[in-house]
Structure formats: C-alpha cells, structure tokens
Amino acid sequence: MRFINKRLYLVLILLLPVLAWGQEGDPSEKPAANLLTPYDAIYTHLYYLQAEHYDASMAARPFYKRGEAGQDLALKLKQIWDGKGLRVSLSRIPEDPMYKDSVGQKNVYIPYPQELPEVYLERNKISGKWHYSRETERAIPQLHKQVYPFGSDLLLGLLPQLGQQRFMGLASWQYLGMLILIALSFILHAFISRLFSWTIHFLANSRLGKGHFDEKQVIRMAKVLSYLLVLYIVYTFVPVLQLPIGLSFYLLLLLKLTNTVLVAVLAMRSLAFFRSYLEWLTSQTKTTTDEYLLPIFIRIVNALIIAAAFIHALSVCGVNVTALLAGLSLGGLAVALAAQEALRNLLGSMMIYADRPFQIGDFVSVGSVTGTVTDIGFRSTRIKTMDTSVISVPNGNLMNETINNLGEREMRRFNTTIGLAYHTPPALIETFIQGLRRLHEVHPHTDKENVYIHLNNMGASSLDVLFMVYFKTNDWAQELAWKEELIFAILRLAEALGVQIAFPSTSVYVETMPGQGTVVPSYEEELKAAQARLDEFISKMKTDQ
C-alpha cells in the first residue's frame, strides 16, 4: 500500500500541468449582459469573474442582491462550482427565453440537478429576465461552508498573495500549495497511522478482546484508517487551490474513487480483524455447523462489499446505476429461469442452515442413504456411508425428504425376542425372566426407567420373551459393544438355568397307520375330569391372589 501511495503521488504531480493546460472552461467572448435567457445569465456571471476582464459588479447582475452582497454571492457560487470540480458546459445551457424544465414545466433551469439541486435560475415574470433564485441566494453561504469547511475559505484570500507567476496553466502559489498539501499528507499519515495502531492495539488487548484478535490485522486496519483521514483532509483543502476546472474535476474524481476503494478495503480488513473473535464465539456453541458456516459467511460479505464498492464507483463516475441495476435484474431473472435447479439447491442449503435438521458429524438417514454428514455445501450435502463411500445429496431434495437424525438420539434401543422351547416349565420361564431383569438392573449403561422384559408371545415354534432396553449413548459403536455384552450375558444365563433356546421347527404327527388304530386320543371320558381340574386350578389361583 505504501508503494502504491507513493506512485499515486508521483503520477499526480506529473499530470498536474498536463491536466491544467487548456482546461479553462469559462467564457471568453464579451456577453450581451441582457439576461434574457439562462445562457445570458450564466455567461455574464462567469465572464466578468475572469482575471483578464474582472468586474464583480457586472458578475453580480444575475443575482437579485446588489452591491457587495451580490458580488460576494457571485464569487462564492463560482468558488463552489470550482471547488466541486463542476465544469459549466455553455453549449448545454438553453438559449430559449421561455425555457421550461421538463419536470415541473416552469421557467426554471438547474445547471446541476444531481450535485446542486438548490442552485437554479428562474425567469422574472415582470422583467422577463433570468436570475438566480432567492432560494439559491439563501443556500450559497451554507454550500460554500460545506465545500470549504473548518475555515479553509480564509485561505482563498491568503494563498494567492504568495505569487501569481503562471507556468503551464497554474500560478506559482498553486504549485506551492500542492507541495505543502502533499508534504502534510505524508506527515499526517505517519502520525495518524501510529496513533490508530496504538488505539486499536490497546482495545484488542483489553479484557474483552485479549487473545481474540490478530495483531497483524490491527496494523493493517490502522494504515487504512490513516489513509482515509489523510484523504479526507486532502479532499477538504484541494478546493482551496482553485485549480482549473478540468484539473479539479479529475482530481476530485480520483479522490472519490480512492475513498471508495479504501472504505471497501477497511470493511474487509475489519471483517478479518473480527474473524478470530467470531471463531472463538462459534467454538463456544454446541453445534459445529456455525464453525463451517463462518468462512462461507465471510466470503459472502466480502463479495457484497466489493459489489457495493463497484456500484458506488460507477455512480461516482456518472453511470446511471438505477438503469444498470434494472438491466441486471432482468438478466438475473433470465438466469434464474435457466438455473432453477441450482437456485432450488441454494434455497435448500439456506433452509438447512436456518432450520438445522442436522450438523456436520451427525449420523443421519435420508431416504435410502444412511451415514455420517461430512460437509454441507451450497449445492449438496455429502454423507459418508458405512462402506466409506461419499454420496452427495442435492440440498433441494432434502427439503422434501424425511430426515432421521440418528445422531440427535439421547438413547439407543436394544430390542430383541428370545424364543424358548415349548417344553420349558412355566416356573423355569419365570426364573429366566427374573434373571433377564437382573441383568438389565446391574448393567451400568442401561436406562432404568424404560425397560420392557416380558413373556410376549406364543410363536409357531417357541415361547417368545420380549427384551427391550435402552442404552444411555448416542454413539452407534458404543451401542454395539454394550449390546454384545448383554447378548453374551443372556446366553450364559440360559446355560446356567438349563433353559433351551428354541429354533424354528415343525412337528409332524401321523394320525393313522395301515393295520393300526388311530393315535388321536378320545376326550369324551375326560371332559368331566377336565372340568373338575379346571375348577381346582381357578380356585387355587384365587387363593394365591
């Protein structure tokens, strides 16, 4: 930046005489001074303020005020135009005595509608002559203070006394003033950069910011701040030099563009300055998504800063930004229609960041894809499956999919069915179920409230015992290890009690054989005895209860 700064000063010094040569935009032919048209009024005003035919009383004729007050207004308005680098194009000034503006259809002419809407000429209905309006006369003193702030207007009368010898279009006092301004800029930059560096360094090492900021960014911000302040001082005092219109216009334009660039650079360096602090804040949150989102957010903000600076630079150069943005919006609509899928994915990514159904590192199930989320991009989300392959799922599809975030589970369920052989005595089954419940109670990582261990079903080939417990973990690998522990414990319990674990089987019974009787028992004689045993069994159950 220092190298560029020195080169810029050198280029300015070399270009000053070139830009000054032949840039006098003021009239040279003697006007009629009848003020019948806007052209006559402005021409008279500027003609009699030229050094070779200076006449302050004649220059004040387009103003309503007379005497010294009118002369002061004429001179100050000329100084306002010169200080702002506004060159009066005489060829564009209407010469129609009955000229009307296109907006209000009034006999009013505004030389600079964008830069100085307060300054305009109006046709006197009685005399038919054109004059600067009363509102313009009231606005000129305030405008003059804005162009020459901090009492710099006092230098307008002092500096010309240093010498009037002219060389290549500029007076000697103007050359001297430019050299003083350049030397003052270097001195101020050295002082202000150190002052800002010390101030920001002090704030960065305070109790709030200590350890969270990059000291290199502190120095870089301080330099840009010093450049901006020096640029503001130069911009304030350049109008005092009363440079020729062409030179003043291009010099002020260059200063405005430089200011735009420096403001953009300062914004990006400020963002880089606070980045370490933002990274520390995101590290304190439970989610990891914001840590991955922060670099993307910074890149987006930097892009917006550059775009805003570019648009502002175009506006400074006189480009119709409104029409440009309208054209870009139409072009953007055409692009949007041609890239609906890309915009759908972008919208999906925004919904993911806003709704946060999952974050990087979560184990999720989306449609037919199950795995660990490794990256969340603008177009797609990458999921690493169990076979270590990486699948990219478009974010637009995720908006319409049911997402099962397995990583958000506080507990993991172990649900199985233990089949016992049908010939197992009921008392032994009860003992076995009690043993299963004891296994659950003594296991250190099972939830003691959510437990379901019961004889649940009489299956086709076994008596089914439901064993449903919950592990206090959301890690799948840990779940597998604890599940293995319980399965081994169940098998050892069955072995210790002599309980036979059933397997799917089918029994075949032959009711009759050739030459033999049936093997199907007859229940007619047993019905009365069975009824008696039933009554005895029920009464015993009532007694037990």
Side-chain angles (χ1 to χ4, degrees):
M1 182 66 76
R2 182 181 299 176
F3 176 75
I4 296 175
N5 190 45
K6 292 180 178 179
R7 285 293 183 88
L8 182 60
Y9 279 128
L10 181 60
V11 171
L12 285 176
I13 294 173
L14 295 176
L15 288 180
L16 285 178
V18 178
L19 293 173
W21 187 264
Q23 289 293 336
E24 293 291 344
D26 295 325
S28 57
E29 297 181 2
K30 188 174 181 179
N34 50 27
L35 309 181
L36 295 178
T37 67
Y39 178 89
D40 295 334
I42 296 179
Y43 193 93
T44 300
H45 170 215
L46 298 179
Y47 177 85
Y48 288 107
L49 289 180
Q50 302 302 304
E52 55 271 19
H53 31 74
Y54 183 84
D55 189 339
S57 60
M58 290 296 294
R61 290 194 61 186
F63 294 85
Y64 286 109
K65 290 186 178 181
R66 293 291 182 264
E68 293 185 359
Q71 297 173 21
D72 182 63
L73 290 175
L75 182 60
K76 284 185 175 180
L77 181 56
K78 175 70 163 55
Q79 290 174 348
I80 291 172
W81 284 345
D82 292 346
K84 283 183 167 290
L86 300 176
R87 183 173 184 176
V88 178
S89 180
L90 297 175
S91 60
R92 297 183 180 180
I93 302 176
E95 299 186 49
D96 180 9
M98 302 302 297
Y99 170 81
K100 293 183 179 180
D101 70 306
S102 58
V103 178
Q105 292 298 314
K106 297 180 180 179
N107 298 121
V108 172
Y109 173 68
I110 307 176
Y112 301 102
Q114 300 295 330
E115 296 84 355
L116 291 172
E118 308 94 331
V119 177
Y120 61 92
L121 295 96
E122 61 183 5
R123 184 176 181 271
N124 190 294
K125 296 180 180 180
I126 300 176
S127 64
K129 295 182 179 181
W130 286 79
H131 297 270
Y132 290 102
S133 65
R134 300 284 187 184
E135 182 182 350
T136 299
E137 292 183 346
R138 289 191 293 268
I140 285 176
Q142 184 63 32
L143 292 172
H144 195 267
K145 290 181 180 180
Q146 293 177 4
V147 178
Y148 302 95
F150 310 117
S152 59
D153 56 326
L154 300 177
L155 298 176
L156 294 174
L158 298 177
L159 290 178
Q161 299 178 8
L162 299 178
Q164 291 292 340
Q165 295 81 8
R166 305 189 71 83
F167 176 71
M168 297 184 68
L170 294 178
S172 56
W173 71 270
Q174 291 173 318
Y175 283 108
L176 181 60
M178 285 186 289
L179 292 176
I180 293 175
L181 189 58
I182 292 173
L184 183 62
S185 300
F186 277 108
I187 297 173
L188 287 175
H189 167 63
F191 173 74
I192 295 172
S193 62
R194 285 172 173 77
L195 178 63
F196 280 158
S197 179
W198 180 85
T199 303
I200 300 177
H201 184 78
F202 174 77
L203 295 175
N205 286 276
S206 61
R207 185 175 62 179
L208 178 63
K210 189 173 183 180
H212 302 314
F213 298 106
D214 188 355
E215 294 189 3
K216 293 182 180 178
Q217 296 295 339
V218 172
I219 299 175
R220 298 179 68 187
M221 280 185 60
K223 288 183 177 180
V224 178
L225 284 171
S226 65
Y227 287 138
L228 276 172
L229 187 56
V230 169
L231 187 68
Y232 176 75
I233 295 174
V234 172
Y235 187 83
T236 300
F237 286 95
V238 161
V240 177
L241 299 177
Q242 292 293 287
L243 300 173
I245 299 300
L247 175 59
S248 180
F249 172 79
Y250 289 110
L251 183 58
L252 292 176
L253 177 62
L254 179 62
L255 292 175
K256 291 177 183 178
L257 292 176
T258 305
N259 179 75
T260 301
V261 173
L262 288 178
V263 170
V265 172
L266 178 62
M268 290 189 291
R269 290 189 177 179
S270 300
L271 191 62
F273 175 72
F274 287 103
R275 177 171 182 170
S276 57
Y277 185 69
L278 294 175
E279 290 176 346
W280 175 78
L281 287 179
T282 56
S283 65
Q284 304 302 309
T285 60
K286 295 181 179 179
T287 176
T288 59
T289 303
D290 48 8
E291 297 180 22
Y292 290 91
L293 183 60
L294 180 60
I296 299 175
F297 170 77
I298 291 176
R299 286 197 295 268
I300 293 175
V301 174
N302 283 332
L304 292 176
I305 292 172
I306 295 174
F310 180 72
I311 293 174
H312 185 265
L314 292 178
S315 177
V316 169
C317 294
V319 178
N320 191 341
V321 178
T322 303
L324 178 63
L325 292 178
L328 291 176
S329 62
L330 292 176
L333 178 60
V335 173
L337 293 175
Q340 295 184 22
E341 189 64 26
L343 292 176
R344 182 169 174 266
N345 291 330
L346 179 60
L347 180 61
S349 66
M350 295 173 62
M351 294 299 296
I352 291 173
Y353 286 124
D355 194 41
R356 294 186 179 181
F358 53 80
Q359 60 183 345
I360 294 174
D362 282 351
F363 191 78
V364 300
S365 176
V366 182
S368 60
V369 180
T370 301
T372 304
V373 179
T374 59
D375 184 47
I376 304 174
F378 282 128
R379 194 199 70 83
S380 64
T381 295
R382 293 174 178 82
I383 299 176
K384 189 174 183 179
T385 61
M386 297 300 297
D387 61 355
T388 69
S389 62
V390 177
I391 298 177
S392 295
V393 181
N395 291 330
N397 296 346
L398 294 178
M399 292 192 297
N400 302 321
E401 287 283 355
T402 300
I403 301 173
N404 185 6
N405 191 340
L406 305 177
E408 288 293 322
R409 295 185 298 181
E410 296 180 357
M411 295 185 292
R412 299 180 77 94
R413 186 181 65 177
F414 175 29
N415 181 19
T416 188
T417 298
I418 305 171
L420 304 181
Y422 264 102
H423 58 72
T424 307
L428 186 57
I429 294 177
E430 290 180 350
T431 305
F432 180 69
I433 292 176
Q434 292 176 5
L436 294 178
R437 290 170 180 167
R438 291 292 303 276
L439 289 179
H440 164 263
E441 291 174 1
V442 298
H443 195 282
H445 302 295
T446 55
D447 183 64
K448 309 308 178 187
E449 296 181 0
N450 298 308
V451 53
Y452 307 93
I453 304 175
H454 302 281
L455 182 61
N456 184 51
N457 188 35
M458 300 178 69
S461 58
S462 64
L463 297 171
D464 298 332
V465 178
L466 173 66
F467 187 84
M468 184 187 298
V469 298
Y470 291 85
F471 295 117
K472 295 180 179 180
T473 182
N474 59 1
D475 183 72
W476 186 56
Q478 189 66 67
E479 175 196 2
L480 293 177
W482 292 342
K483 186 186 295 186
E484 181 184 45
E485 291 179 3
L486 274 181
I487 292 175
F488 274 120
I490 292 171
L491 294 175
R492 292 190 181 99
L493 174 65
E495 183 182 8
L497 296 179
V499 173
Q500 183 179 353
I501 304 297
F503 54 87
S505 61
T506 302
S507 298
V508 179
Y509 297 93
V510 180
E511 293 184 358
T512 60
M513 294 291 290
Q516 298 182 5
T518 180
V519 296
V520 178
S522 176
Y523 294 102
E524 294 180 1
E525 300 295 332
E526 298 291 332
L527 287 178
K528 295 181 180 181
Q531 184 65 43
R533 289 194 297 271
L534 173 61
D535 294 339
E536 181 183 358
F537 179 78
I538 295 299
S539 62
K540 183 179 180 181
M541 286 186 62
K542 290 181 178 180
T543 303
D544 293 340
Q545 292 178 355

